[in-house]
Amino acid sequence: MYKLLIVEDENKTREALKECLDWTLLGITEIKDVSNGKQALSLMREYRADLVISDIRMPEMDGIEMASQIRELYPSTNVIIVSAYSDVSYLKSAIKIDAVDYLLKPYDSDELKQAVITGLRRIEEAEKKRKVESVLLSNLPLLREQWFRYVINSSRIYMHEWMEKRSSY
């Protein structure tokens, strides 16, 4: 159902991330991994991961730069940052790119699981919002017609009632 991309330059850590949770129980059916941000961006063109778990310090392109580009190119993709550094500037950067979470290494599997669940909820909420917007846009002409009929056919409209109806339409 969901696709995960792990971006980590340390092989052992990358492998541990793939094995630390039962990803299928969380709804993640595909997992790919790469060793730096540049490779991640290249892979994202075809893979389109829903969720990315990324280290910050990596060769060629760091996790913040990569996550920033992912947010710009693929806004529906959520990013979780993991780092061995509790540097405030990294944390601020993660906040600016709207990262789901910033986990400090070593983190436990429960922390990671909670961050993943939060990321997946964000995806679900965004999808629900897109569906509602689509339905509203497709029904906009009908809603406008109903609004005008209400205004024209009402013999007496009170301001609070008009404002309430207007905002609902």
Side-chain angles (χ1 to χ4, degrees), residues 119-156:
L120 296 177
R121 281 187 185 146
R122 278 189 185 185
I123 293 166
E124 290 168 0
E125 288 169 9
E127 184 59 31
K128 285 179 188 176
K129 184 178 176 182
R130 275 192 294 275
K131 286 180 181 177
V132 167
E133 287 173 353
S134 174
V135 168
L136 284 175
L137 283 174
S138 65
N139 289 312
L140 193 56
L142 177 62
L143 291 171
R144 283 185 181 143
E145 182 182 330
Q146 287 177 344
W147 167 249
F148 287 124
R149 283 178 191 232
Y150 169 76
V151 170
I152 291 168
N153 293 331
S154 296
S155 60
R156 196 172 179 156

Coordinates of all heavy atoms in Angstrom, one line a residue, residues 119-156:
G119 N 3.7 9.8 10.1 CA 3.9 10.1 8.7 C 2.8 9.5 7.8 O 2.3 10.2 6.9
L120 N 2.4 8.3 8.1 CA 1.3 7.7 7.3 C 0.0 8.3 7.6 O -0.8 8.5 6.7 CB 1.3 6.2 7.7 CG 2.5 5.4 7.3 CD1 2.4 3.9 7.7 CD2 2.8 5.4 5.8
R121 N -0.2 8.8 8.8 CA -1.5 9.5 9.1 C -1.5 10.8 8.3 O -2.6 11.2 7.8 CB -1.6 9.8 10.6 CG -2.1 8.7 11.4 CD -2.3 9.0 12.8 NE -2.7 7.8 13.6 CZ -2.3 7.6 14.8 NH1 -1.7 8.6 15.5 NH2 -2.7 6.5 15.4
R122 N -0.4 11.5 8.2 CA -0.4 12.7 7.4 C -0.7 12.4 6.0 O -1.5 13.2 5.3 CB 1.0 13.3 7.4 CG 1.4 14.2 8.6 CD 2.7 14.9 8.3 NE 3.2 15.6 9.5 CZ 4.3 16.4 9.4 NH1 5.0 16.4 8.3 NH2 4.6 17.0 10.5
I123 N -0.2 11.3 5.4 CA -0.5 10.9 4.0 C -2.0 10.7 3.9 O -2.6 11.2 2.9 CB 0.3 9.7 3.6 CG1 1.8 10.0 3.6 CG2 -0.2 9.1 2.3 CD1 2.7 8.8 3.5
E124 N -2.6 9.9 4.8 CA -4.0 9.6 4.8 C -4.9 10.9 4.9 O -5.9 11.1 4.1 CB -4.4 8.7 5.9 CG -3.8 7.3 5.7 CD -4.0 6.4 6.9 OE1 -4.5 6.8 8.0 OE2 -3.5 5.2 6.8
E125 N -4.5 11.8 5.8 CA -5.3 13.1 5.9 C -5.2 13.9 4.7 O -6.2 14.5 4.2 CB -4.7 13.8 7.1 CG -5.1 13.2 8.5 CD -4.4 13.8 9.6 OE1 -3.7 14.9 9.5 OE2 -4.5 13.3 10.7
A126 N -4.0 14.0 4.1 CA -3.8 14.7 2.8 C -4.7 14.1 1.7 O -5.3 14.9 0.9 CB -2.4 14.8 2.4
E127 N -4.7 12.8 1.6 CA -5.5 12.1 0.6 C -7.0 12.4 0.8 O -7.7 12.7 -0.2 CB -5.3 10.6 0.6 CG -6.0 9.9 -0.5 CD -5.6 10.3 -1.9 OE1 -4.5 10.8 -2.1 OE2 -6.5 10.2 -2.7
K128 N -7.5 12.4 2.1 CA -8.9 12.7 2.3 C -9.2 14.1 1.9 O -10.2 14.4 1.3 CB -9.2 12.5 3.8 CG -9.3 11.1 4.3 CD -9.6 11.0 5.8 CE -9.5 9.6 6.3 NZ -9.7 9.5 7.7
K129 N -8.3 15.0 2.2 CA -8.5 16.4 1.9 C -8.6 16.6 0.4 O -9.4 17.3 -0.1 CB -7.3 17.3 2.4 CG -7.5 18.8 2.2 CD -6.3 19.5 2.8 CE -6.5 21.0 2.5 NZ -5.4 21.8 3.0
R130 N -7.7 15.9 -0.4 CA -7.7 16.0 -1.8 C -9.0 15.5 -2.4 O -9.6 16.0 -3.3 CB -6.5 15.2 -2.4 CG -5.3 16.0 -2.5 CD -4.2 15.2 -3.4 NE -3.8 14.0 -2.8 CZ -2.8 13.8 -2.0 NH1 -2.2 14.9 -1.5 NH2 -2.4 12.7 -1.5
K131 N -9.6 14.4 -1.8 CA -10.8 13.8 -2.3 C -12.0 14.8 -2.0 O -12.8 15.0 -2.9 CB -11.1 12.5 -1.6 CG -10.2 11.4 -2.1 CD -10.5 10.0 -1.4 CE -9.7 8.9 -1.9 NZ -9.9 7.7 -1.2
V132 N -12.0 15.4 -0.8 CA -13.1 16.4 -0.5 C -13.0 17.6 -1.4 O -14.0 18.0 -2.0 CB -13.0 16.8 1.0 CG1 -13.8 18.0 1.3 CG2 -13.3 15.7 1.9
E133 N -11.8 18.1 -1.7 CA -11.6 19.2 -2.6 C -12.1 18.8 -4.0 O -12.7 19.6 -4.7 CB -10.2 19.7 -2.6 CG -9.7 20.4 -1.4 CD -8.3 20.7 -1.3 OE1 -7.5 20.3 -2.2 OE2 -7.9 21.4 -0.4
S134 N -11.8 17.6 -4.4 CA -12.2 17.2 -5.7 C -13.7 17.1 -5.8 O -14.3 17.6 -6.8 CB -11.6 15.8 -6.0 OG -12.1 15.3 -7.2
V135 N -14.4 16.6 -4.8 CA -15.8 16.5 -4.8 C -16.4 17.9 -4.8 O -17.4 18.2 -5.6 CB -16.3 15.7 -3.6 CG1 -17.8 15.8 -3.4 CG2 -16.0 14.2 -3.8
L136 N -15.9 18.8 -4.0 CA -16.4 20.1 -3.9 C -16.2 20.9 -5.3 O -17.2 21.5 -5.7 CB -15.7 20.9 -2.8 CG -16.1 20.6 -1.4 CD1 -15.3 21.4 -0.4 CD2 -17.6 21.0 -1.2
L137 N -15.1 20.7 -5.9 CA -14.9 21.4 -7.2 C -15.8 20.8 -8.3 O -16.3 21.6 -9.1 CB -13.4 21.2 -7.6 CG -12.4 22.1 -6.9 CD1 -11.0 21.7 -7.4 CD2 -12.7 23.6 -7.2
S138 N -16.0 19.5 -8.2 CA -16.9 19.0 -9.2 C -18.4 19.4 -9.0 O -19.2 19.4 -9.9 CB -16.8 17.4 -9.3 OG -17.2 16.9 -8.1
N139 N -18.7 19.7 -7.7 CA -20.1 20.1 -7.4 C -20.2 21.6 -7.3 O -21.3 22.1 -6.9 CB -20.5 19.4 -6.1 CG -20.8 17.9 -6.3 OD1 -21.4 17.5 -7.3 ND2 -20.2 17.1 -5.5
L140 N -19.2 22.4 -7.6 CA -19.3 23.8 -7.4 C -20.4 24.5 -8.2 O -21.1 25.3 -7.6 CB -17.9 24.4 -7.7 CG -17.7 25.9 -7.3 CD1 -17.9 26.0 -5.8 CD2 -16.3 26.3 -7.7
P141 N -20.6 24.2 -9.4 CA -21.8 24.8 -10.1 C -23.1 24.6 -9.4 O -23.9 25.5 -9.3 CB -21.7 24.2 -11.5 CG -20.3 23.7 -11.7 CD -19.9 23.3 -10.3
L142 N -23.3 23.4 -9.0 CA -24.6 23.0 -8.3 C -24.7 23.8 -7.0 O -25.7 24.4 -6.6 CB -24.7 21.5 -8.0 CG -25.9 21.1 -7.2 CD1 -27.2 21.4 -8.0 CD2 -25.8 19.6 -7.0
L143 N -23.6 23.9 -6.2 CA -23.6 24.6 -5.0 C -23.9 26.1 -5.2 O -24.6 26.7 -4.4 CB -22.2 24.5 -4.3 CG -21.9 23.1 -3.7 CD1 -20.5 23.0 -3.2 CD2 -22.9 22.7 -2.6
R144 N -23.3 26.7 -6.2 CA -23.5 28.1 -6.6 C -25.0 28.3 -6.9 O -25.6 29.3 -6.5 CB -22.7 28.5 -7.7 CG -21.2 28.8 -7.4 CD -20.5 29.3 -8.5 NE -19.1 29.6 -8.1 CZ -18.1 29.4 -8.9 NH1 -18.2 28.9 -10.2 NH2 -16.8 29.6 -8.5
E145 N -25.5 27.4 -7.7 CA -27.0 27.5 -8.1 C -27.8 27.5 -6.8 O -28.8 28.3 -6.7 CB -27.3 26.4 -9.0 CG -28.8 26.5 -9.5 CD -29.1 25.3 -10.4 OE1 -28.3 24.8 -11.2 OE2 -30.3 24.9 -10.4
Q146 N -27.6 26.5 -5.9 CA -28.3 26.4 -4.7 C -28.2 27.7 -3.9 O -29.2 28.2 -3.3 CB -27.9 25.2 -3.9 CG -28.3 23.9 -4.4 CD -27.8 22.7 -3.6 OE1 -26.8 22.9 -2.8 NE2 -28.3 21.6 -3.8
W147 N -27.1 28.3 -3.8 CA -26.8 29.5 -3.1 C -27.7 30.7 -3.6 O -28.4 31.4 -2.9 CB -25.4 29.9 -3.1 CG -25.1 31.3 -2.6 CD1 -24.6 32.3 -3.3 CD2 -25.2 31.8 -1.3 NE1 -24.4 33.4 -2.5 CE2 -24.8 33.1 -1.2 CE3 -25.7 31.2 -0.1 CZ2 -24.9 33.9 -0.1 CZ3 -25.8 32.0 1.1 CH2 -25.4 33.3 1.0
F148 N -27.6 30.8 -5.0 CA -28.4 31.9 -5.6 C -29.9 31.7 -5.4 O -30.6 32.6 -5.2 CB -28.0 32.0 -7.1 CG -26.7 32.7 -7.3 CD1 -25.7 32.0 -8.0 CD2 -26.3 33.9 -6.7 CE1 -24.4 32.6 -8.2 CE2 -25.1 34.5 -6.9 CZ -24.1 33.8 -7.6
R149 N -30.3 30.5 -5.5 CA -31.8 30.2 -5.3 C -32.2 30.5 -3.9 O -33.2 31.1 -3.7 CB -32.1 28.7 -5.6 CG -32.1 28.4 -7.1 CD -32.4 26.9 -7.3 NE -32.2 26.6 -8.7 CZ -33.1 26.0 -9.4 NH1 -34.2 25.5 -8.9 NH2 -32.8 25.7 -10.7
Y150 N -31.3 30.2 -3.0 CA -31.6 30.5 -1.6 C -31.7 32.0 -1.4 O -32.7 32.5 -0.8 CB -30.5 30.0 -0.7 CG -30.6 30.5 0.8 CD1 -31.6 29.9 1.6 CD2 -29.8 31.5 1.2 CE1 -31.7 30.4 2.9 CE2 -29.9 31.9 2.5 CZ -30.8 31.4 3.4 OH -30.9 31.9 4.6
V151 N -30.8 32.8 -1.9 CA -30.8 34.2 -1.8 C -32.0 34.8 -2.5 O -32.7 35.7 -1.9 CB -29.5 34.8 -2.3 CG1 -29.6 36.4 -2.4 CG2 -28.3 34.4 -1.5
I152 N -32.3 34.4 -3.7 CA -33.4 35.0 -4.5 C -34.8 34.6 -3.9 O -35.7 35.4 -3.8 CB -33.3 34.5 -6.0 CG1 -32.1 35.1 -6.6 CG2 -34.6 34.8 -6.7 CD1 -31.7 34.5 -8.0
N153 N -34.9 33.4 -3.4 CA -36.2 32.9 -3.0 C -36.5 33.2 -1.5 O -37.7 33.1 -1.1 CB -36.3 31.4 -3.2 CG -36.4 31.0 -4.6 OD1 -36.8 31.8 -5.5 ND2 -35.9 29.8 -4.9
S154 N -35.6 33.7 -0.8 CA -35.8 34.0 0.6 C -36.4 35.4 0.7 O -35.9 36.4 0.2 CB -34.5 34.0 1.4 OG -34.0 32.7 1.4
S155 N -37.6 35.5 1.4 CA -38.3 36.8 1.5 C -37.6 37.6 2.5 O -37.6 38.9 2.4 CB -39.7 36.5 1.8 OG -39.8 35.8 3.0
R156 N -37.0 37.0 3.5 CA -36.4 37.8 4.5 C -35.1 37.0 5.0 O -35.2 35.9 5.4 CB -37.4 37.9 5.7 CG -37.0 38.9 6.6 CD -38.1 39.1 7.6 NE -37.6 40.1 8.5 CZ -38.4 40.9 9.2 NH1 -39.7 40.8 9.1 NH2 -37.9 41.8 10.0

